[in-house]
Amino acid sequence: MPSLTKKWKLFVIHHSHTDIGYTERQEKIEQYQVDFIRQALEIIEASYTAERPEWKGFKWTCEAFWAVERFLEEATDAEKDRFVEALRRGDIELSGTYLNMTELAGYELVADMAGRAGKFAAAHGLRVRSAMTADINGYSWGYSQAMADAGIEHLLSCIHTHHGMFAIGRKQFPFYWETPKGDRLLVWNGEHYMIGNDLGLNPDGTFSYSIQDETPIRGIAEDHWQIAETRIGRYLAQLEKEDYPYDFTVVNVSGLLRDNAAPNGRIMSFIQEWNAKHGDRIEIEMTTPDRYFDLVKKQNVPIPVYRGDWPDWWSDGVASTAMHTQIFRGAQRALSVVERLDPEGRSVKPADIEEAKLQLTMYAEHTWGYHSSISEPWHPMVQELGVRKEAYAAHASRLVQRSLDRVLRARGDVLLRASRAFTFTVVNSFDDPVTDAAYFYLEENWEADYFRQGLEVVDEQTGEVVPHQQETVSRGYQIAIMAKLGAREEKRYVIREASAKPQGRTTSSTRLIGADRIHDIRDLVPLAGAAEQAAVTENGIETPHMRISWRSGIGIVSWVDKGTGKELIDPNQTHAAFTPVYEVTEGEHGDQMTVRRIMGRNRKGMNVKRFAGMLTGVRSITDGPLYAVVELLYEVEGMSHYSLFLKVYKDQARADVSVRMHKTSVWEPENVYVSLPFLRADGGELWFDKAGAAVRPGVDQIPGTLTDFYCIQDGLALVSPSGGLAIATPDTPLMQTGPLAFGERKVQGQARDEAPTLYAWVLTNYWETNFKATLGGFYEFRYTLQWGGALNSAEQALRVNRSVNAGTVAFRSV
């Protein structure tokens, strides 16, 4: 071993990395994890007897409380008692982590998960003070607050730097993570969760992953002791060279060379043998997170404090199954509506709500498929596990919608029957006033026959006739109104025969539209009744609130707020608003694995090919009292269809954009972005709605963290003292702020030379193991833009995103 300048103590945390669906069927992994707790109990109990004295000192950390819940569901009373006694002795320790998550989960779900271990422990007079995560590369800022609120004081972060990186520029180092409310969580910025296997701590499983030296090994080494002595000595010597301030450190070890691995008593046997041989210089002790953090806090070493977001490099899997991510987000929003409308849970089945939360959690968990999803996408296990992963979102949606149906029936929702009254109730579920669209539906087309002479919508309380707009849609006959509702307000509307016959159409003597029905010259004379119509031409659309212009071959190049005369689009950006950008990286001789593996943090290869969509056509869809809709058609590589449905409102500074595409199926690694080139004018700042906190990307972050992309919740805002632009993103959580070009990636604290960019990153399949291999299929991604002087704070702008995404709740009533 290399000579060391001090005596060292190496602490070892033994656990099973919980990775649901990566190595086996999800339900099989559940069985494994339950049995691992039983095995850990057997090893611990044997260590107190003459049967296995070499296992004395064995400790087991339950990485994820999800596994503990599954164990408790099927354990006998005797097993539960043994488990609790092991907790009391400190032989087993609970982690406050429920599962290793992506940032897809909203704050309410994160907080619910963070509190579960502590509630179980409290029932037995115990506390959960530490949490540990493995694999994942970050967390929303709100995650820290959820942990602190749950009584958790410490976080052991065991980051996997494949396509990711550890924070603060240094691992094996502590820092305090200050939460949004000012609490502090002591973090140990740790190594890979199997570094102990690299170091040779497990004679049954040594490999060369983090440590790649002159002795490559994966399995059982021929000379295990030589590898362990060499690597442990070198590892500690390197820490000394790096001015590491302690004479101890911590590593994690797995019982087998795999995720979801069983506990292994032979690790403890090796530790005993090592201490007998080398304990005078390097002592090894198996421990738990609580014990380790308590030791760290006793040292006279200053610990820095960092405040802000810790974006996760590993949340990008959500865009490899974009349709199901969309379903997940819809279900998560609907669950919030249910809980606001029925806060005491009187109308729902509690078991349905709990199961919906579990299904949402399982979808948002970090594993995105079987480990050979790219190399053999036709394999039955790949297909089966992929469908099961996606089913979590679908099952959650079903449970939540069923619960919402129950809540609405309790409020008077009338189901399908003959002679139903044409009365509708609209509810604002939020604690703030809203003005938003509400939609009423006449079933199929037969109910519309009652109103052949026209219809009108009346506010039942005031008797006022409310402006409405009618469309025939796939569900039937849609009637839209703009509902103005106070906090938690409920209004009723009645549809009745029109009191006056609708006026027919005629031609105009001032509208510069040809007999070919092409409107490619702006009108010189104001059109009579212009306030009731949108001016739609081949080159743009205009209302009292906005003027949007597009250019052939490019797309939307101008978006003017007519209230201020200001341009909202940044002319210096590369791509026009909502233009699709497609990337593909080809491997040599069709190799789908190596080309992905060497991408690093670029998420694309040096030989990436990039294509921008070209605007090729425009057509008007509808123009009514409330809004007008135009369709913009594009041609772009990688897609057989791409179009924008642009809905502009007459009486609001608001536009809804629907991106519709048919993505062709290819095996190569791809990315699809949608450009959002909006200005940060008047000293404005970009804000993201992250789980539990609003953050400014590149500002409100801890050092050394990801700045290329972010996983957000309901949307984003560009805010200045004079006003702002709120962009709701109900379907696509990933926002790209780093440059699209391949090159050096910059983390928080490193200066950027490039101008700021903003794209929605809607599709990707770049990861070489468990992302879905093909992105082919039909998609619709929606965005709502609202702007004005009232949106001059991040709080207000992000609030309107949340309300417009959830929408009003409308139903047929008595």
Side-chain angles (χ1 to χ4, degrees), residues 729-740:
T729 58
D731 305 319
T732 54
L734 297 185
M735 291 293 133
Q736 176 83 16
T737 57
L740 297 187

Side-chain angles (χ1 to χ4, degrees), residues 316-373:
D316 45 12
V318 305
S320 70
T321 54
M323 180 180 71
H324 297 87
T325 294
Q326 185 176 16
I327 293 169
F328 167 93
R329 285 164 69 84
Q332 186 168 246
R333 282 193 301 273
L335 178 58
S336 295
V337 171
V338 169
E339 292 178 333
R340 287 194 297 271
L341 294 180
D342 187 20
E344 297 180 3
R346 293 178 177 177
S347 304
V348 299
K349 292 184 177 180
D352 280 358
I353 298 298
E354 284 304 304
E355 183 62 22
K357 290 179 180 179
L358 178 60
Q359 295 294 312
L360 288 169
T361 301
M362 296 296 283
Y363 184 79
E365 190 265 346
H366 77 296
T367 315
W368 232 257
Y370 193 55
H371 63 85
S372 61
S373 295

Side-chain angles (χ1 to χ4, degrees), residues 570-786:
D570 184 351
N572 297 315
Q573 295 299 307
T574 304
H575 300 108
F578 298 100
T579 290
V581 179
Y582 172 70
E583 294 180 339
V584 61
T585 304
E586 297 177 357
E588 288 189 29
H589 311 296
D591 177 8
Q592 300 301 333
M593 294 292 290
T594 304
V595 64
R596 288 169 159 91
R597 187 177 294 116
I598 63 175
M599 286 180 177
R601 279 134 294 280
N602 269 278
R603 270 94 177 134
K604 63 200 70 173
M606 188 178 293
N607 61 325
V608 62
K609 297 177 181 178
R610 185 174 300 110
F611 306 88
M614 297 189 302
L615 178 63
T616 59
V618 180
R619 66 188 184 106
S620 177
I621 303 298
T622 187
D623 187 1
L626 302 183
Y627 54 80
V629 179
V630 294
E631 181 184 19
L632 279 62
L633 297 163
Y634 292 74
E635 289 182 359
V636 61
E637 190 77 16
M639 303 175 212
S640 65
H641 175 85
Y642 185 96
S643 67
L644 301 180
F645 276 71
L646 181 62
K647 177 191 284 189
V648 297
Y649 290 79
K650 307 293 183 67
D651 294 329
Q652 288 182 292
R654 170 179 169 177
D656 299 344
V657 180
S658 292
V659 171
R660 300 178 181 178
M661 69 177 76
H662 180 212
K663 176 71 189 67
T664 53
S665 178
V666 301
W667 199 353
E668 286 75 23
E670 307 172 282
N671 295 303
V672 176
Y673 305 93
V674 174
S675 177
L676 301 172
F678 294 95
L679 273 170
R680 310 177 194 190
D682 299 331
E685 293 182 299
L686 174 62
W687 289 84
F688 284 155
D689 180 16
K690 298 290 296 287
V695 303
R696 294 166 294 177
V699 178
D700 303 317
Q701 292 183 221
I702 64 177
T705 52
L706 167 69
T707 59
D708 272 342
F709 65 91
Y710 301 80
C711 187
I712 68 174
Q713 293 295 313
D714 277 296
L716 57 101
L718 293 157
V719 175
S720 73
S722 61
L725 168 65
I727 304 178
T729 58
D731 305 319
T732 54
L734 297 185
M735 291 293 133
Q736 176 83 16
T737 57
L740 297 187
F742 180 95
E744 180 183 348
R745 311 322 295 177
K746 301 292 181 67
V747 295
Q748 180 67 10
Q750 295 177 329
R752 284 191 179 277
D753 301 325
E754 311 88 356
T757 61
L758 184 62
Y759 296 84
W761 185 13
V762 299
L763 296 172
T764 188
N765 68 340
Y766 79 89
W767 201 287
E768 72 271 18
T769 55
N770 62 332
F771 280 17
K772 192 170 184 178
T774 177
L775 301 172
F778 293 92
Y779 302 94
E780 179 179 35
F781 303 127
R782 299 162 296 170
Y783 304 88
T784 294
L785 288 75
Q786 299 178 83

Side-chain angles (χ1 to χ4, degrees), residues 226-467:
Q226 181 184 0
I227 289 176
E229 290 168 338
T230 300
R231 290 185 173 181
I232 290 173
R234 287 177 180 173
Y235 181 79
L236 298 177
Q238 182 64 28
L239 287 178
E240 290 186 351
K241 291 177 183 177
E242 294 169 350
D243 296 326
Y244 180 81
Y246 303 100
D247 59 3
F248 59 86
T249 194
V250 66
V251 296
N252 297 65
V253 68
S254 179
L256 302 169
L257 278 185
R258 55 172 290 156
D259 294 337
N260 305 296
N264 191 336
R266 276 171 50 80
I267 297 172
M268 197 62 232
S269 302
F270 169 76
I271 291 174
Q272 300 275 28
E273 294 176 30
W274 174 279
N275 288 338
K277 188 175 181 181
H278 299 298
D280 58 330
R281 291 178 292 166
I282 303 170
E283 182 183 357
I284 304 178
E285 179 182 326
M286 194 173 283
T287 191
T288 61
D290 275 0
R291 289 182 177 90
Y292 186 73
F293 279 107
D294 287 343
L295 177 63
V296 171
K297 289 187 288 189
K298 290 178 182 177
Q299 307 308 303
N300 188 26
V301 176
I303 298 177
V305 180
Y306 300 117
R307 176 179 171 84
D309 198 36
W310 189 346
D312 179 19
W313 293 82
W314 276 30
S315 283
D316 45 12
V318 305
S320 70
T321 54
M323 180 180 71
H324 297 87
T325 294
Q326 185 176 16
I327 293 169
F328 167 93
R329 285 164 69 84
Q332 186 168 246
R333 282 193 301 273
L335 178 58
S336 295
V337 171
V338 169
E339 292 178 333
R340 287 194 297 271
L341 294 180
D342 187 20
E344 297 180 3
R346 293 178 177 177
S347 304
V348 299
K349 292 184 177 180
D352 280 358
I353 298 298
E354 284 304 304
E355 183 62 22
K357 290 179 180 179
L358 178 60
Q359 295 294 312
L360 288 169
T361 301
M362 296 296 283
Y363 184 79
E365 190 265 346
H366 77 296
T367 315
W368 232 257
Y370 193 55
H371 63 85
S372 61
S373 295
I374 297 296
S375 61
E376 43 183 3
W378 44 76
H379 193 286
M381 190 72 90
V382 171
Q383 302 278 2
E384 189 174 345
L385 270 59
V387 169
R388 292 182 187 200
K389 175 71 172 183
E390 294 162 354
Y392 291 133
H395 190 39
S397 177
R398 182 177 65 85
L399 289 165
V400 171
Q401 292 298 332
R402 188 164 67 185
S403 297
L404 181 58
D405 288 343
R406 289 194 176 100
V407 171
L408 297 186
R409 285 203 301 274
R411 284 176 167 260
D413 185 17
V414 177
L415 300 181
L416 187 63
R417 63 176 64 184
S419 303
R420 278 193 301 176
F422 293 99
T423 304
F424 295 83
T425 297
V426 182
V427 183
N428 170 21
S429 67
F430 288 94
D431 292 325
D432 299 289
V434 300
T435 299
D436 200 359
Y439 297 98
F440 310 145
Y441 294 92
L442 304 183
E443 297 297 334
E444 305 301 332
N445 291 317
W446 56 270
E447 281 195 316
D449 291 345
Y450 290 111
F451 304 101
R452 288 192 176 97
Q453 302 306 311
L455 60 83
E456 59 190 16
V457 180
V458 179
D459 184 319
E460 188 179 65
Q461 182 178 2
T462 65
E464 177 187 2
V465 176
V466 179

